[in-house]
PDB file of all heavy atoms in Angstrom:
ATOM      1  N   TYR A  62      46.413 103.050  31.714  1.00 96.00           N
ATOM      2  CA  TYR A  62      47.473 102.734  30.750  1.00 96.00           C
ATOM      3  C   TYR A  62      47.253 103.374  29.377  1.00 96.00           C
ATOM      4  O   TYR A  62      47.928 103.011  28.412  1.00 96.00           O
ATOM      5  CB  TYR A  62      47.616 101.215  30.608  1.00 96.00           C
ATOM      6  CG  TYR A  62      48.131 100.579  31.873  1.00 96.00           C
ATOM      7  CD1 TYR A  62      47.257  99.991  32.788  1.00 96.00           C
ATOM      8  CD2 TYR A  62      49.483 100.598  32.184  1.00 96.00           C
ATOM      9  CE1 TYR A  62      47.726  99.417  33.955  1.00 96.00           C
ATOM     10  CE2 TYR A  62      49.957 100.030  33.352  1.00 96.00           C
ATOM     11  CZ  TYR A  62      49.070  99.442  34.238  1.00 96.00           C
ATOM     12  OH  TYR A  62      49.544  98.882  35.392  1.00 96.00           O
ATOM     13  N   ASN A  63      46.319 104.321  29.291  1.00 96.00           N
ATOM     14  CA  ASN A  63      46.054 105.031  28.040  1.00 96.00           C
ATOM     15  C   ASN A  63      45.843 104.043  26.888  1.00 96.00           C
ATOM     16  O   ASN A  63      46.530 104.082  25.867  1.00 96.00           O
ATOM     17  CB  ASN A  63      47.188 106.013  27.720  1.00 96.00           C
ATOM     18  CG  ASN A  63      46.813 106.988  26.627  1.00 96.00           C
ATOM     19  OD1 ASN A  63      45.636 107.273  26.423  1.00 96.00           O
ATOM     20  ND2 ASN A  63      47.803 107.489  25.921  1.00 96.00           N
ATOM     21  N   SER A  64      44.909 103.126  27.091  1.00 96.00           N
ATOM     22  CA  SER A  64      44.626 102.080  26.121  1.00 96.00           C
ATOM     23  C   SER A  64      43.177 102.180  25.658  1.00 96.00           C
ATOM     24  O   SER A  64      42.441 103.064  26.097  1.00 96.00           O
ATOM     25  CB  SER A  64      44.900 100.712  26.748  1.00 96.00           C
ATOM     26  OG  SER A  64      44.847  99.696  25.775  1.00 96.00           O
ATOM     27  N   THR A  65      42.770 101.265  24.786  1.00 95.00           N
ATOM     28  CA  THR A  65      41.394 101.255  24.283  1.00 95.00           C
ATOM     29  C   THR A  65      40.776  99.877  24.478  1.00 95.00           C
ATOM     30  O   THR A  65      41.490  98.875  24.588  1.00 95.00           O
ATOM     31  CB  THR A  65      41.359 101.594  22.783  1.00 95.00           C
ATOM     32  OG1 THR A  65      42.055 100.556  22.060  1.00 95.00           O
ATOM     33  CG2 THR A  65      41.987 102.959  22.499  1.00 95.00           C
ATOM     34  N   SER A  66      39.461  99.837  24.472  1.00 93.00           N
ATOM     35  CA  SER A  66      38.743  98.574  24.629  1.00 93.00           C
ATOM     36  C   SER A  66      39.066  97.577  23.505  1.00 93.00           C
ATOM     37  O   SER A  66      39.306  96.405  23.780  1.00 93.00           O
ATOM     38  CB  SER A  66      37.241  98.835  24.723  1.00 93.00           C
ATOM     39  OG  SER A  66      36.579  97.680  25.145  1.00 93.00           O
ATOM     40  N   PRO A  67      39.085  98.017  22.217  1.00 95.00           N
ATOM     41  CA  PRO A  67      39.454  97.057  21.164  1.00 95.00           C
ATOM     42  C   PRO A  67      40.864  96.491  21.348  1.00 95.00           C
ATOM     43  O   PRO A  67      41.105  95.312  21.082  1.00 95.00           O
ATOM     44  CB  PRO A  67      39.367  97.885  19.878  1.00 95.00           C
ATOM     45  CG  PRO A  67      38.408  98.986  20.195  1.00 95.00           C
ATOM     46  CD  PRO A  67      38.633  99.287  21.651  1.00 95.00           C
ATOM     47  N   SER A  68      41.782  97.308  21.823  1.00 95.00           N
ATOM     48  CA  SER A  68      43.146  96.851  22.074  1.00 95.00           C
ATOM     49  C   SER A  68      43.149  95.770  23.163  1.00 95.00           C
ATOM     50  O   SER A  68      43.813  94.737  23.031  1.00 95.00           O
ATOM     51  CB  SER A  68      44.025  98.027  22.485  1.00 95.00           C
ATOM     52  OG  SER A  68      45.323  97.588  22.800  1.00 95.00           O
ATOM     53  N   ILE A  69      42.389  96.008  24.221  1.00 95.00           N
ATOM     54  CA  ILE A  69      42.288  95.025  25.305  1.00 95.00           C
ATOM     55  C   ILE A  69      41.714  93.707  24.768  1.00 95.00           C
ATOM     56  O   ILE A  69      42.206  92.633  25.094  1.00 95.00           O
ATOM     57  CB  ILE A  69      41.407  95.556  26.459  1.00 95.00           C
ATOM     58  CG1 ILE A  69      42.116  96.683  27.181  1.00 95.00           C
ATOM     59  CG2 ILE A  69      41.052  94.449  27.433  1.00 95.00           C
ATOM     60  CD1 ILE A  69      41.261  97.365  28.223  1.00 95.00           C
ATOM     61  N   ASN A  70      40.676  93.802  23.940  1.00 95.00           N
ATOM     62  CA  ASN A  70      40.066  92.589  23.372  1.00 95.00           C
ATOM     63  C   ASN A  70      41.061  91.783  22.560  1.00 95.00           C
ATOM     64  O   ASN A  70      41.091  90.548  22.651  1.00 95.00           O
ATOM     65  CB  ASN A  70      38.849  92.958  22.517  1.00 95.00           C
ATOM     66  CG  ASN A  70      37.702  93.462  23.352  1.00 95.00           C
ATOM     67  OD1 ASN A  70      37.583  93.160  24.539  1.00 95.00           O
ATOM     68  ND2 ASN A  70      36.840  94.255  22.744  1.00 95.00           N
ATOM     69  N   ASN A  71      41.896  92.463  21.767  1.00 97.00           N
ATOM     70  CA  ASN A  71      42.920  91.767  20.981  1.00 97.00           C
ATOM     71  C   ASN A  71      43.939  91.069  21.878  1.00 97.00           C
ATOM     72  O   ASN A  71      44.333  89.939  21.622  1.00 97.00           O
ATOM     73  CB  ASN A  71      43.637  92.748  20.043  1.00 97.00           C
ATOM     74  CG  ASN A  71      42.752  93.228  18.923  1.00 97.00           C
ATOM     75  OD1 ASN A  71      41.764  92.588  18.562  1.00 97.00           O
ATOM     76  ND2 ASN A  71      43.095  94.381  18.366  1.00 97.00           N
ATOM     77  N   ILE A  72      44.347  91.761  22.939  1.00 97.00           N
ATOM     78  CA  ILE A  72      45.325  91.186  23.870  1.00 97.00           C
ATOM     79  C   ILE A  72      44.711  89.981  24.590  1.00 97.00           C
ATOM     80  O   ILE A  72      45.354  88.931  24.718  1.00 97.00           O
ATOM     81  CB  ILE A  72      45.818  92.235  24.889  1.00 97.00           C
ATOM     82  CG1 ILE A  72      46.613  93.336  24.172  1.00 97.00           C
ATOM     83  CG2 ILE A  72      46.677  91.582  25.975  1.00 97.00           C
ATOM     84  CD1 ILE A  72      46.942  94.537  25.049  1.00 97.00           C
ATOM     85  N   ILE A  73      43.474  90.123  25.040  1.00 97.00           N
ATOM     86  CA  ILE A  73      42.797  89.018  25.731  1.00 97.00           C
ATOM     87  C   ILE A  73      42.740  87.791  24.831  1.00 97.00           C
ATOM     88  O   ILE A  73      43.027  86.671  25.258  1.00 97.00           O
ATOM     89  CB  ILE A  73      41.389  89.437  26.196  1.00 97.00           C
ATOM     90  CG1 ILE A  73      41.492  90.429  27.351  1.00 97.00           C
ATOM     91  CG2 ILE A  73      40.559  88.215  26.602  1.00 97.00           C
ATOM     92  CD1 ILE A  73      40.172  91.090  27.738  1.00 97.00           C
ATOM     93  N   SER A  74      42.388  88.001  23.572  1.00 96.00           N
ATOM     94  CA  SER A  74      42.309  86.895  22.620  1.00 96.00           C
ATOM     95  C   SER A  74      43.651  86.181  22.493  1.00 96.00           C
ATOM     96  O   SER A  74      43.728  84.951  22.541  1.00 96.00           O
ATOM     97  CB  SER A  74      41.850  87.431  21.260  1.00 96.00           C
ATOM     98  OG  SER A  74      41.829  86.401  20.315  1.00 96.00           O
ATOM     99  N   LYS A  75      44.727  86.945  22.353  1.00 96.00           N
ATOM    100  CA  LYS A  75      46.065  86.358  22.231  1.00 96.00           C
ATOM    101  C   LYS A  75      46.441  85.593  23.499  1.00 96.00           C
ATOM    102  O   LYS A  75      46.956  84.469  23.435  1.00 96.00           O
ATOM    103  CB  LYS A  75      47.100  87.448  21.957  1.00 96.00           C
ATOM    104  CG  LYS A  75      48.525  86.903  21.944  1.00 96.00           C
ATOM    105  CD  LYS A  75      49.585  87.967  21.887  1.00 96.00           C
ATOM    106  CE  LYS A  75      50.969  87.343  22.045  1.00 96.00           C
ATOM    107  NZ  LYS A  75      52.042  88.322  22.068  1.00 96.00           N
ATOM    108  N   LEU A  76      46.170  86.201  24.663  1.00 97.00           N
ATOM    109  CA  LEU A  76      46.573  85.584  25.932  1.00 97.00           C
ATOM    110  C   LEU A  76      45.746  84.335  26.240  1.00 97.00           C
ATOM    111  O   LEU A  76      46.229  83.429  26.922  1.00 97.00           O
ATOM    112  CB  LEU A  76      46.495  86.607  27.063  1.00 97.00           C
ATOM    113  CG  LEU A  76      47.473  87.783  26.931  1.00 97.00           C
ATOM    114  CD1 LEU A  76      47.262  88.792  28.051  1.00 97.00           C
ATOM    115  CD2 LEU A  76      48.917  87.305  26.895  1.00 97.00           C
ATOM    116  N   LYS A  77      44.521  84.263  25.748  1.00 97.00           N
ATOM    117  CA  LYS A  77      43.720  83.040  25.887  1.00 97.00           C
ATOM    118  C   LYS A  77      44.336  81.917  25.058  1.00 97.00           C
ATOM    119  O   LYS A  77      44.409  80.777  25.506  1.00 97.00           O
ATOM    120  CB  LYS A  77      42.288  83.275  25.427  1.00 97.00           C
ATOM    121  CG  LYS A  77      41.386  83.932  26.435  1.00 97.00           C
ATOM    122  CD  LYS A  77      40.034  84.114  25.767  1.00 97.00           C
ATOM    123  CE  LYS A  77      38.927  84.399  26.707  1.00 97.00           C
ATOM    124  NZ  LYS A  77      37.659  84.619  25.985  1.00 97.00           N
ATOM    125  N   LYS A  78      44.782  82.259  23.853  1.00 96.00           N
ATOM    126  CA  LYS A  78      45.356  81.242  22.963  1.00 96.00           C
ATOM    127  C   LYS A  78      46.601  80.600  23.558  1.00 96.00           C
ATOM    128  O   LYS A  78      46.847  79.412  23.349  1.00 96.00           O
ATOM    129  CB  LYS A  78      45.697  81.856  21.599  1.00 96.00           C
ATOM    130  CG  LYS A  78      44.488  82.124  20.749  1.00 96.00           C
ATOM    131  CD  LYS A  78      44.868  82.767  19.428  1.00 96.00           C
ATOM    132  CE  LYS A  78      43.620  83.166  18.659  1.00 96.00           C
ATOM    133  NZ  LYS A  78      43.922  83.989  17.481  1.00 96.00           N
ATOM    134  N   VAL A  79      47.401  81.378  24.283  1.00 95.00           N
ATOM    135  CA  VAL A  79      48.624  80.816  24.870  1.00 95.00           C
ATOM    136  C   VAL A  79      48.412  80.293  26.290  1.00 95.00           C
ATOM    137  O   VAL A  79      49.355  79.838  26.931  1.00 95.00           O
ATOM    138  CB  VAL A  79      49.807  81.820  24.834  1.00 95.00           C
ATOM    139  CG1 VAL A  79      50.209  82.121  23.402  1.00 95.00           C
ATOM    140  CG2 VAL A  79      49.504  83.092  25.588  1.00 95.00           C
ATOM    141  N   GLY A  80      47.176  80.363  26.798  1.00 96.00           N
ATOM    142  CA  GLY A  80      46.861  79.779  28.104  1.00 96.00           C
ATOM    143  C   GLY A  80      47.138  80.666  29.301  1.00 96.00           C
ATOM    144  O   GLY A  80      47.027  80.210  30.443  1.00 96.00           O
ATOM    145  N   ILE A  81      47.493  81.930  29.071  1.00 97.00           N
ATOM    146  CA  ILE A  81      47.738  82.833  30.199  1.00 97.00           C
ATOM    147  C   ILE A  81      46.414  83.316  30.778  1.00 97.00           C
ATOM    148  O   ILE A  81      46.251  83.408  31.989  1.00 97.00           O
ATOM    149  CB  ILE A  81      48.617  84.022  29.769  1.00 97.00           C
ATOM    150  CG1 ILE A  81      50.019  83.506  29.411  1.00 97.00           C
ATOM    151  CG2 ILE A  81      48.697  85.080  30.866  1.00 97.00           C
ATOM    152  CD1 ILE A  81      50.937  84.548  28.816  1.00 97.00           C
ATOM    153  N   PHE A  82      45.454  83.616  29.908  1.00 98.00           N
ATOM    154  CA  PHE A  82      44.103  83.973  30.350  1.00 98.00           C
ATOM    155  C   PHE A  82      43.196  82.768  30.133  1.00 98.00           C
ATOM    156  O   PHE A  82      43.357  82.027  29.161  1.00 98.00           O
ATOM    157  CB  PHE A  82      43.554  85.153  29.551  1.00 98.00           C
ATOM    158  CG  PHE A  82      43.969  86.513  30.057  1.00 98.00           C
ATOM    159  CD1 PHE A  82      44.794  86.683  31.144  1.00 98.00           C
ATOM    160  CD2 PHE A  82      43.507  87.659  29.419  1.00 98.00           C
ATOM    161  CE1 PHE A  82      45.168  87.944  31.594  1.00 98.00           C
ATOM    162  CE2 PHE A  82      43.872  88.920  29.859  1.00 98.00           C
ATOM    163  CZ  PHE A  82      44.693  89.064  30.954  1.00 98.00           C
ATOM    164  N   ILE A  83      42.269  82.595  31.052  1.00 97.00           N
ATOM    165  CA  ILE A  83      41.257  81.548  30.912  1.00 97.00           C
ATOM    166  C   ILE A  83      39.894  82.167  31.171  1.00 97.00           C
ATOM    167  O   ILE A  83      39.794  83.255  31.751  1.00 97.00           O
ATOM    168  CB  ILE A  83      41.503  80.378  31.908  1.00 97.00           C
ATOM    169  CG1 ILE A  83      41.425  80.873  33.366  1.00 97.00           C
ATOM    170  CG2 ILE A  83      42.821  79.683  31.627  1.00 97.00           C
ATOM    171  CD1 ILE A  83      41.321  79.754  34.373  1.00 97.00           C
TER     172      ILE A  83
END
Side-chain angles (χ1 to χ4, degrees):
Y62 293 98
N63 193 26
S64 190
T65 64
S66 192
S68 177
I69 290 173
N70 290 336
N71 290 338
I72 294 170
I73 289 170
S74 177
K75 175 189 173 183
L76 295 176
K77 279 178 164 178
K78 286 178 186 170
V79 295
I81 293 173
F82 276 1
I83 61 166

